[in-house]
Amino acid sequence: MRKRSAVRALIICPEKQILLARMRYKETEDLWLTPGGGIGPDENHINALHRELNEEIFERAWPVGPAVWVREHQFMFEGEDLCQKETYYLLKCSRFEPPLMMPDENKNQYFLNYKWWNLEDLSASREIFVPGKISHFLIDLVNGIVPDTPIDVGI
């Protein structure tokens, strides 16, 4: 099993909504997750997060806030068994119209669409979200309560 580190963005707008991407991978059902991905060998967390956001949502001045969540999980990706440790960063910005496709061709092959979600819709939905208890952990963040150190949000 290969270990890797990743970064993810919790993009939250003043309307208390979070931007999630619906993805379809061979090994899973469709799932909704935050933008982000693996950290390259010569990257730090912030550089990797900016690169990932630019690959997934296009170039923009991303206001990266503090690291607020962490999680570690195992999964299969294209036949490879991975153990990934993720750090989630809070990004507060004005609501914008997300692109209809990801600019990075490799990532776009798994991408279905973006959607702004509010807490009520997240809690009521039967869709699969990553992390699984995202609506529970988002309550404080959308209400402006930021942890002093990152919280482990589980699988």
Side-chain angles (χ1 to χ4, degrees), residues 25-40:
Y25 300 105
K26 294 174 188 167
E27 295 87 357
T28 66
E29 295 180 48
D30 292 0
L31 50 89
W32 291 92
L33 57 114
T34 60
I39 299 172

Side-chain angles (χ1 to χ4, degrees), residues 108-155:
N108 199 54
Q109 68 181 315
Y110 308 107
F111 175 75
L112 297 173
N113 64 292
Y114 284 110
K115 179 178 176 180
W116 287 100
W117 289 84
N118 62 41
L119 285 175
E120 296 79 21
D121 292 341
L122 274 171
S123 296
S125 177
R126 294 206 175 272
E127 301 272 351
I128 299 171
F129 296 96
V130 176
K133 295 181 181 178
I134 191 169
S135 62
H136 169 77
F137 289 103
L138 275 174
I139 294 169
D140 283 348
L141 292 179
V142 299
N143 288 307
I145 302 167
V146 178
D148 292 332
T149 59
I151 296 169
D152 188 334
V153 294
I155 296 174

Side-chain angles (χ1 to χ4, degrees), residues 28-69:
T28 66
E29 295 180 48
D30 292 0
L31 50 89
W32 291 92
L33 57 114
T34 60
I39 299 172
D42 296 327
E43 293 180 308
N44 64 35
H45 280 218
I46 302 304
N47 290 343
L49 188 60
H50 279 284
R51 177 187 48 74
E52 288 289 337
L53 290 170
N54 291 336
E55 288 175 1
E56 296 180 14
I57 308 178
F58 291 96
E59 186 72 38
R60 179 183 169 102
W62 295 104
V64 177
V68 293
W69 296 351

